[in-house]
Every structure is written in structure tokens, then in C-alpha cells.
Amino acid sequence: MGRTTMLVLDPENRHYDVAIIGSGPAGITLALSLARLTPLRIALLESGLLDADPTIQALARAQLRGDLGEAYFPMHTQRRFGGSSTIWGGYCAVLEERAFMAGDWPIPYSELKRWYPAAAGMLELPDNAYTRPHVAIEGTRDIVYKPFYLSPPVRFNEKYGDEIISHPRIDLILGHTCTRLEASGRQVRHLLLQDSLDTARAPVRLRADTVVLACGGVGNPRLLQLSGIGQDLPVGVGLMEHPHMYAVANMYLDWDRLQDVVDRRANAVHALQLADAYCVAHDALSFSADFNLQQLVSEPLLGERREALFTPVSLRAEIAPNPANRVGDSDELNALGQPLPRIDFHYRFRQQAHRTWQLFADALLRTGLGRPSTLRPDFQLHSGGHLMGTTRMGRDPRQSVVDINARVHTTDNLYVAGSSVFPAGGASNPTYTIIALTLRLGDHLATRLGGNADATS
Amino acid sequence: MRRRDLLKGAGAIVGLGLTGCTPWVQDDTAATEAAPSLSDQLAELADARFSASAKGLSSQVLFDRLRQNGVLSTKRGINTGKLRSLARNEPLIQYQGFYYSRSELALYNLAYLVHRPTLGR
């Protein structure tokens, strides 16, 4: 029987095959994956408790410089069992292939496609989420229809909590913040754990043969930095977000050409995207133009009076990783005596937004699929709470932090799960891809550490 | 002569007794010879929102230009394929906050001038 505990008893004598730091969607997914595939003993560590605690939540504070508003933290991070799945909205779509075609990712896109079906199952998405992730539209190869399917949304703590807590080989350790990884050579030897509430208590050490960071786009690089691991790697560098622009334009869309394409039965947000090949050919990044189905009007489109959707447009866009956007040390300390992360982030997006919208407008109008309005000149950028790219995946240690298997380049038994490994963030909400990549990591670790398919009992 | 060609296409509206037509359409006695297709097509496209963009333009000049580049034919009406083909290379024009291709907007201007609708759709 696994133990759910806020205290690590007799820690020096406790040994795990795998320690997973962070019990959000990635951490829970990995723990379940390993437990189902292997006989390994797993520790799932969580800074928070089963429910939100304001004192622990305050440990997620950060010093913000730039475009992320003061409310960004703690709004977009949750230090509790289930992590950000306790507050997410459920938007799911496959990552665009553009970045893979452009060589931004070091793995082939098939590596993601392989795991999307299982990820859809975890998130309770319809099969169309991976069998029909985007659909061609008659008469154009430049624009595709892409629905964003809505998970109920799955709260990982509620859906998977019982399995985690009752599993005989998973220990869920709550209320302890991992403050440092102690490494020697190319190995992490111990995890230093601090009681998240009783800061006067002496820290305890936990031993694990393999360690996986699953504590978010800020937490992952931060723990590496605080541990002095990967000092020659670009840890924390290249933070990405998804700029959201709500009702920033309008467009008419030819309903005759869309009505057989749009998945009207699905619980989904409908969007158009520039096709991946079009983006690559025009050196453009991915973006989604959301539309709704509420208003049908008559509109002349390329010389014909057509029945058309008239809809406001909200955009969700990809930005390139910029080295100036980064996570590092601030001059403030948190309650555990550690420097708060300092997050420098600027969207630098306005010029790109206008160019990308112009490309989209061209493609939409020139194929007669629709008529776009101009972009509102005073549009506001909003954040999505999608922190990506701070421990980016790549083959070159000068340009990346983890390798193609999500292992930290400098450390043989240290892995990273979550969107911090994304070298390019696309324009889709990241959770679906986080789960797919985590299942892939689970499969890799199961194979490397001695997986046993019979261990699923 | 070219004007007459236009009237063959557009002039059927005279027979329908529509108001708001351009004077040269109304005056043309050859209207009864016209095929209805182009006129009907232009009537379909006519929209009051193009009153501002059509202001000061000549329907004759618009017709000539659209016929020369193959968008209009008095026999075949509007060639949407040609319009689409042209749209791939023409600069986009911003009008009242929306994008149009140049020939497309010219066509809508012509439709407005020929039919002069007083209400938008």
C-alpha cells in the first residue's frame, strides 16, 4: 500500500527507483505510466497539499519584469495535488507540425502522433482529437480548419487521485518542497526536501535512482538553477507564452465550404489556421483564428453572393523563443529562504501579429474562403498561462537543456517533463502535448529502467 | 461600342423597372436585347455599403476595365474563376475596415452604380 504523507519518516533509509517532483498533469501521468508499465517504486512529490493552501501557494511567487501582469502568479500556477489541472479550462489541440517541419524540434512529429491517442484517453477527448486534428478545406491548401476540443476538463487530482493514493508502489509525498538536487558527477544523489509549512524543520534527504522534474515552466528551470545543475546549459532561457488577442478582428467565412468541415457535434472551439506548409514557405509562425457559428449573413465573396458566417476573431499565436525572455534569480527570498525566480518576459509581438494577420488575410481572401477585416490597431495582448521553453529539447547542449529523451544533457539520471522542454510552442494550448510527451517519457524510462508489462496489476 | 456591350449585360434591369439605375442604363434602347445573366449577377452583388467607394467612379470605365481583364463577359456574366485568379496577384485594398482585392472591389462598385440599392443587405 502506498502512503500519502505530509511527513517523510526515516528519509535516509527510504529509496525509490524514480522520484517525480511535481504532481500536476505531467507528474501524475508519469507516475501512473511507470506504475502501469514497470515494477518500479515511485515517489510523487508535491510542494502543496490535497487542497490549496495560501502559505504554500505563496511559494510560487515570482518577481516579474515585463509584460506578465502582477496577477500572473499565482493565477497560472497551483501548488497542490493536481497542479494546474485544478484550474485549467480544458482546451486541447495537437501541436502544429510547422515547428517540426522547420527543424525546431529534434524529434520527428510521428513521436507525438504516436502518443496523442493515449493522451486523449487521459484527457477524455473524442477520437477526433487525434484522428481528425485538422481538416483540409475545399479550394485551398493555405488554410485548414482546426478544432480545439474541450476536455471536461479533467481534474487530475479528482480523476486519478484514488489510483495514485492506493497504488502499492507509488508514495505520494505532500507538503514538501524540493529545494535542491544534490548531484555529484553526472548523477543526482539526493533530493533535499523542505517542509512547505514548517520552515523551521530541518530538511530531509530522499534518494532515488532516477529523478524527473515535473514542476512547470518556471519550477523546472528554477530547481536546476538552485541546484547548480547544467550551469553551461541555457537553463531558463527562451521562455515562451501564447499571446491571446480577443475579438481583435472580424471575418466573413463562406459557409458552403465550411459546413461539411466544421465539427458541429463536438464540444470544441472552432478555428482556422494557416497550413503548416504555408507557414514554413512564408517563414511564419503558427497561429489560430477562432471563430463562432452564431451569425449567418449574406456577403459577396469573389464575385458571388454567398451565405457566410460573420464572426469576431480571437487569435492565439506562437512566438519565437527569445534569449531575453528568461527565468533567473531575483533579489527577494521566499519563506524557505530561497531567491524568488525573476521572470523577464516581453512579447515583442505587435509587428509579427500584423504580418501574420496579413498573411492570413491574403490566404483567406484570395481563395474566396472569406473576407477578413483589418486588425484592430489598439489590440491588447493577454497571456494564456502557458509557460514553455525554459528547459528546451535539442541535440546541441549549447542550444538546449534536455536531449531527445528529455534527459538533462549533463546528468545521466535527471529528466524533465512538461512544456518547459518545448523548443517551439506552436499556437495550441499545451496540455494535450504535455501529456503525450509525458507518456512517451514514461515509455522510455520503462524501457531504460527495466519495464515489465506484467507489472500492471 | 463597349458601352453597348455593358448594356447588353446590365440593361435587363430596365425591363424589371428597378429604380436607382444609372441614367445611361435607363436611356439605352438596346436593353431589351440584353441577356439577363450579368444584370442579375450585378443585382445580386449590389450593396449600399459600396456607395462611398463607388462615388465619383464611372460605371463605363469600371466595366471596360473588368471586361478587359476577363472578369466580365456580356455573354457569360461574371467569371469568378478569373476574379479568383486575379486576386492571387492583385494588391489587397482596405475599405471600411475589410480587405478586398482590387478587381473584386471594382466589381462591387460597378454593381452599386448599375443598381444603386438604397439599403444594405
Short mmCIF file of all heavy atoms in Angstrom, two decimals, chain A residues 42 66 70 143 147 170 189 304 339 385 393 395 422-423 448:
data_model
loop_
_atom_site.label_atom_id
_atom_site.label_comp_id
_atom_site.label_asym_id
_atom_site.label_seq_id
_atom_site.Cartn_x
_atom_site.Cartn_y
_atom_site.Cartn_z
N ILE A 42 7.99 4.31 -6.83
CA ILE A 42 7.90 5.69 -7.30
C ILE A 42 7.52 6.61 -6.15
O ILE A 42 6.59 6.32 -5.39
CB ILE A 42 6.81 5.80 -8.41
CG1 ILE A 42 7.18 4.88 -9.58
CG2 ILE A 42 6.66 7.25 -8.89
CD1 ILE A 42 5.97 4.45 -10.39
N GLY A 66 8.39 42.98 -17.10
CA GLY A 66 7.95 42.95 -18.49
C GLY A 66 6.44 42.86 -18.62
O GLY A 66 5.71 43.53 -17.88
N GLU A 70 0.99 41.47 -12.73
CA GLU A 70 1.24 41.05 -11.36
C GLU A 70 0.34 39.88 -10.96
O GLU A 70 0.69 39.10 -10.09
CB GLU A 70 1.05 42.22 -10.40
CG GLU A 70 2.21 43.20 -10.41
CD GLU A 70 3.54 42.53 -10.08
OE1 GLU A 70 3.58 41.75 -9.11
OE2 GLU A 70 4.53 42.77 -10.80
N ILE A 143 -5.06 27.27 -45.90
CA ILE A 143 -5.75 27.39 -44.61
C ILE A 143 -6.43 26.06 -44.29
O ILE A 143 -6.98 25.41 -45.18
CB ILE A 143 -6.79 28.52 -44.65
CG1 ILE A 143 -6.08 29.87 -44.76
CG2 ILE A 143 -7.70 28.50 -43.43
CD1 ILE A 143 -7.03 31.05 -44.89
N PRO A 147 -10.19 22.33 -35.00
CA PRO A 147 -10.98 22.47 -33.77
C PRO A 147 -10.10 22.31 -32.53
O PRO A 147 -9.15 21.53 -32.52
CB PRO A 147 -11.99 21.33 -33.87
CG PRO A 147 -11.30 20.30 -34.70
CD PRO A 147 -10.33 21.00 -35.60
N ILE A 170 3.41 3.48 -5.41
CA ILE A 170 3.53 4.94 -5.50
C ILE A 170 3.36 5.53 -4.11
O ILE A 170 2.36 5.26 -3.43
CB ILE A 170 2.44 5.56 -6.42
CG1 ILE A 170 2.56 5.02 -7.86
CG2 ILE A 170 2.57 7.08 -6.43
CD1 ILE A 170 1.44 5.50 -8.78
N ARG A 189 22.20 12.55 -6.59
CA ARG A 189 22.29 11.56 -5.50
C ARG A 189 21.11 11.67 -4.53
O ARG A 189 20.59 10.66 -4.06
CB ARG A 189 23.60 11.77 -4.71
CG ARG A 189 24.85 11.71 -5.55
CD ARG A 189 25.06 10.32 -6.12
NE ARG A 189 26.29 10.29 -6.95
CZ ARG A 189 26.68 9.25 -7.66
NH1 ARG A 189 25.95 8.13 -7.64
NH2 ARG A 189 27.78 9.29 -8.39
N GLU A 304 -19.42 36.43 -55.97
CA GLU A 304 -20.65 35.68 -55.78
C GLU A 304 -21.27 36.04 -54.45
O GLU A 304 -20.56 36.17 -53.45
CB GLU A 304 -20.38 34.16 -55.80
CG GLU A 304 -19.95 33.61 -57.13
CD GLU A 304 -19.68 32.12 -57.03
OE1 GLU A 304 -18.60 31.75 -56.52
OE2 GLU A 304 -20.55 31.34 -57.43
N PRO A 339 15.97 32.36 -3.20
CA PRO A 339 15.67 33.50 -4.07
C PRO A 339 14.43 33.22 -4.91
O PRO A 339 14.30 32.14 -5.50
CB PRO A 339 16.91 33.62 -4.96
CG PRO A 339 17.98 32.87 -4.26
CD PRO A 339 17.29 31.79 -3.48
N GLY A 385 -1.20 31.70 -19.74
CA GLY A 385 -0.74 30.85 -18.64
C GLY A 385 0.03 29.65 -19.14
O GLY A 385 0.16 28.65 -18.44
N MET A 393 14.29 21.20 -25.50
CA MET A 393 14.81 19.93 -26.02
C MET A 393 15.65 20.18 -27.27
O MET A 393 15.27 20.99 -28.12
CB MET A 393 13.63 19.01 -26.36
CG MET A 393 14.03 17.66 -26.95
SD MET A 393 12.60 16.68 -27.49
CE MET A 393 11.96 16.12 -25.91
N ARG A 395 19.51 18.65 -29.57
CA ARG A 395 20.67 17.77 -29.63
C ARG A 395 21.95 18.48 -29.20
O ARG A 395 22.91 17.84 -28.78
CB ARG A 395 20.84 17.22 -31.05
CG ARG A 395 19.68 16.33 -31.50
CD ARG A 395 19.88 15.80 -32.90
NE ARG A 395 18.71 15.08 -33.37
CZ ARG A 395 18.44 13.80 -33.10
NH1 ARG A 395 19.28 13.10 -32.37
NH2 ARG A 395 17.34 13.23 -33.56
N PHE A 422 9.57 22.21 -24.50
CA PHE A 422 9.19 22.59 -25.86
C PHE A 422 10.23 23.55 -26.45
O PHE A 422 10.41 24.65 -25.92
CB PHE A 422 7.84 23.32 -25.89
CG PHE A 422 6.63 22.49 -25.58
CD1 PHE A 422 6.71 21.22 -25.04
CD2 PHE A 422 5.36 23.01 -25.83
CE1 PHE A 422 5.57 20.48 -24.75
CE2 PHE A 422 4.21 22.27 -25.55
CZ PHE A 422 4.33 21.01 -25.00
N PRO A 423 10.88 23.20 -27.54
CA PRO A 423 11.76 24.19 -28.18
C PRO A 423 11.00 25.18 -29.05
O PRO A 423 11.53 26.23 -29.41
CB PRO A 423 12.68 23.32 -29.05
CG PRO A 423 11.91 22.08 -29.30
CD PRO A 423 10.98 21.87 -28.15
N ARG A 448 14.18 1.81 -20.33
CA ARG A 448 15.56 2.00 -19.87
C ARG A 448 15.77 1.42 -18.47
O ARG A 448 16.83 0.88 -18.15
CB ARG A 448 15.88 3.50 -19.86
CG ARG A 448 17.29 3.83 -19.44
CD ARG A 448 17.59 5.31 -19.67
NE ARG A 448 18.97 5.61 -19.33
CZ ARG A 448 19.34 6.03 -18.12
NH1 ARG A 448 18.45 6.19 -17.18
NH2 ARG A 448 20.62 6.28 -17.87
#
